[in-house]
Amino acid sequence: MKGITRPPTNLQTLAAQLKALAEPKRLMILHLLMEGVQCNCELGDALKLPPNLISHHLRMLREAGLINVERDAVDARWVYYSINRAALDELNTAFGSFFDPDRIKPRRPTCGPQSSVVRVSDIAVTA
Amino acid sequence: MKGITRPPTNLQTLAAQLKALAEPKRLMILHLLMEGVQCNCELGDALKLPPNLISHHLRMLREAGLINVERDAVDARWVYYSINRAALDELNTAFGSFFDPDRIKPRRPTCGPQSSVVRVSDIAVTA
DNA sequence: AAAATAGTTCAATCTGCATTGAATTATATT
DNA sequence: AATATAATTCAATGCAGATTGAACTATTTT
């Protein structure tokens, strides 16, 4: 009888990133960033949200390490956000490892009325 | 020049499921369920949490459609939770589609000082 | 120098939800 | 019938974060 295996991913880190993603407007921002839209004003137009709120959501995504920031070389008033490709790859890997359906194991009856019942699969065949 | 493509997934639904997942203790519960641990008491022992709090987290996961509930046929006091395999498959598909790195497109300069600059790639070669 | 532009930061409010402890339900045991 | 067991529900508390409006910073334009 095998023990419990450690989760394949750091749960604190995964939960923190998922928290940043678990917001409809932020998902929409990420979608727009993937589509090539990248400045605060356009995001605000698309989502019908004021610029300060866009800034807030962008900050959440940035602090989760999911996006990059860059200032325009010609006119430094403009700020461009973009997907952090490496972070996205890591996220996909972590998510895929954790929620891999192949990890699902059958119930281990160490609890409840059946916990003391001897299972056929546990009886050693000796002769 | 192409327009913005619709996201490949229902953002409301994905966000709701991610919100259910974005909690370290719930991730740990899901991990334990995958490992075959399935009753409130054992989850509570493993996470050092009181049973009512385990119930709360299980309810969140259940309302997100991620887990199944079943009562013991012999002693109905015991309740067994398990991973909803179909929901997990759908989640993986939705997540993978949304966060597919291949979806990332180059910046579309419809904003900022470069928005009026004619790009070489936009000049039609006529002869 | 003054005004305009793009964006961020700050303070206040409101809401959702994790947590806690007590009460309750349902079932089984004595 | 009374008690024990497994779990859920309920009420109250505290905190994190979404939202709002105003103030502020940095840069460019006039």
Side-chain angles (χ1 to χ4, degrees):
Chain A
M1 164 162 163
K2 278 174 264 178
I4 302 290
T5 304
R6 183 161 20 83
T9 306
N10 182 321
L11 300 193
Q12 304 296 326
T13 303
L14 182 56
Q17 291 205 322
L18 291 180
K19 192 173 288 184
L21 301 177
E23 218 285 328
K25 284 159 189 168
R26 282 204 283 270
L27 285 182
M28 194 60 197
I29 288 176
L30 283 176
H31 170 65
L32 291 170
L33 292 183
M34 286 193 181
E35 291 280 321
V37 176
Q38 296 197 330
C39 72
N40 187 313
C41 62
E42 270 190 311
L43 294 171
D45 289 348
L47 282 109
K48 310 286 186 195
L49 292 177
N52 58 344
L53 192 46
I54 299 290
S55 274
H56 165 70
H57 287 308
L58 287 171
R59 171 197 277 262
M60 294 292 115
L61 293 172
R62 187 164 44 77
E63 288 180 348
L66 295 167
I67 61 179
N68 303 121
V69 200
E70 182 189 2
R71 279 192 177 273
D72 190 297
V74 177
D75 185 337
R77 286 175 300 182
W78 299 79
V79 177
Y80 303 125
Y81 287 90
S82 57
I83 300 290
N84 182 338
R85 173 70 188 246
L88 194 67
D89 288 343
E90 286 176 31
L91 175 66
N92 273 307
T93 300
F95 192 93
S97 300
F98 190 91
F99 294 106
D100 179 0
D102 292 342
R103 287 185 56 221
I104 300 176
K105 297 174 186 166
R107 186 166 91 80
R108 64 170 67 218
T110 58
C111 222
Q114 292 167 33
S115 61
S116 55
V117 175
V118 176
R119 271 148 283 130
V120 174
S121 60
D122 286 353
I123 300 172
V125 178
T126 48
Chain B
M1 165 160 164
K2 277 174 265 178
I4 301 290
T5 305
R6 183 159 23 82
T9 307
N10 182 321
L11 300 193
Q12 303 297 326
T13 304
L14 182 56
Q17 292 205 322
L18 291 180
K19 192 173 287 184
L21 300 177
E23 219 284 331
K25 284 159 190 168
R26 282 205 283 270
L27 285 182
M28 194 61 197
I29 288 175
L30 283 176
H31 170 66
L32 290 169
L33 292 183
M34 286 192 180
E35 291 281 321
V37 176
Q38 298 196 329
C39 73
N40 188 313
C41 61
E42 269 189 313
L43 294 171
D45 288 348
L47 281 107
K48 310 286 186 193
L49 292 177
N52 57 344
L53 191 45
I54 299 291
S55 275
H56 165 70
H57 287 309
L58 287 170
R59 171 199 277 262
M60 296 290 116
L61 293 172
R62 186 164 44 76
E63 288 179 348
L66 295 167
I67 60 178
N68 303 121
V69 200
E70 182 190 1
R71 280 191 177 273
D72 191 297
V74 177
D75 184 337
R77 285 175 301 182
W78 298 79
V79 177
Y80 303 125
Y81 286 90
S82 56
I83 300 290
N84 182 338
R85 172 70 188 245
L88 194 67
D89 289 342
E90 286 176 30
L91 175 66
N92 274 306
T93 299
F95 192 94
S97 301
F98 190 92
F99 294 106
D100 179 0
D102 293 342
R103 286 185 56 220
I104 300 176
K105 296 175 187 168
R107 186 167 90 80
R108 63 170 68 216
T110 58
C111 222
Q114 293 168 30
S115 61
S116 56
V117 175
V118 177
R119 272 146 284 130
V120 174
S121 60
D122 286 352
I123 300 172
V125 178
T126 49

